Amino acid sequence: MSTETQQPLGPLVIYGAGGHGRVVADAARAQGWRVVGFLDDLAPAGTAVGESNVLSATQVRDARAAVIVGIGDNKTRERIQLRLVSEGWRVITVIHPTAWISPSVAPGSGAFVGAGAIVQAGAAIGEGAIVNTRAVIEHHCVVGEFAHVAPGAALGGAATIGRGTLVGMQAAVLPIVRVGAGATVGAGAVVTKDVGAGITVVGVPARVR
């Protein structure tokens, strides 16, 4: 999938009208997108969400809008984004203007990089991934597809987190450490050694819960 982050123009819909969706909408407006509304499976069309409303799929199609999935849950975000792509929607990337991203990094389609986040040289940000507010991704890290690095979390140089992994708020993954797909790193944890797929770790140093 292509990534569209330069010179953003035109209408955009946020899929997901919850708290994270509203954060993505604010960042998209700051980036230059014209947010025309939200799509949401649980809220009826016409529901007010901040400055915009929930739209019907027909209204979105008529607007010829691009879309980004603004849902924090990794599995839900992945399922919806893959469906949208299969249906031919144009899925874009949103990067808050206050984030700093190395010119060598091109986040994948559907990725979101929040306010004050830092992504250093040689890092890879997979499609549908979230690098949330003030998160730090150091050089040559890999953030897997549909992973979520929560606010204030940090990945040391060349660390890897797998597809669908959650790194909780203020957590740290030390350099070169690998966290497997679908794993969860609890808030404030410090990961000093590799974590297997699907494992939850908590504490300092992080241990299996």
Side-chain angles (χ1 to χ4, degrees):
M1 300 179 195
S2 64
T3 301
E4 300 181 34
T5 58
Q6 66 282 356
Q7 300 298 322
L9 297 170
L12 177 67
V13 166
I14 313 300
Y15 200 122
H20 183 65
R22 293 182 67 168
V23 169
V24 174
D26 284 347
R29 292 186 186 101
Q31 191 182 6
W33 290 98
R34 179 167 59 88
V35 177
V36 297
F38 293 83
L39 279 170
D40 196 286
D41 297 333
L42 302 178
T47 302
V49 183
E51 300 177 24
S52 304
N53 294 326
V54 175
L55 306 177
S56 69
T58 299
Q59 288 175 308
V60 175
R61 293 274 188 194
D62 290 346
R64 302 189 180 208
V67 65
I68 182 171
V69 183
I71 295 174
D73 180 77
N74 291 340
K75 290 182 179 179
T76 303
R77 187 172 66 260
E78 177 177 2
R79 172 176 54 80
I80 292 173
Q81 179 165 324
L82 294 179
R83 174 171 61 80
L84 293 173
V85 170
S86 71
E87 293 174 354
W89 294 78
R90 185 165 66 103
V91 177
I92 61 90
T93 298
V94 168
I95 299 173
H96 195 282
T98 64
W100 190 89
I101 299 182
S102 167
S104 66
V105 178
S109 62
F112 171 70
V113 181
I118 297 173
V119 182
Q120 298 283 20
I125 309 297
E127 66 180 72
I130 296 173
V131 178
N132 222 323
T133 310
R134 295 189 179 277
V136 175
I137 311 299
E138 275 297 340
H139 64 89
H140 297 98
C141 286
V142 176
V143 177
E145 297 175 346
F146 304 103
H148 184 168
V149 182
L155 306 184
T160 296
I161 64 169
R163 185 185 186 103
T165 289
L166 171 63
V167 179
M169 294 179 64
Q170 301 294 330
V173 179
L174 296 192
I176 312 176
V177 170
R178 301 178 65 88
V179 180
T184 299
V185 176
V190 177
V191 182
T192 61
K193 58 184 179 181
D194 291 357
V195 175
I199 300 296
T200 295
V201 295
V202 298
V204 182
R207 61 194 181 280
V208 177
R209 188 175 68 180

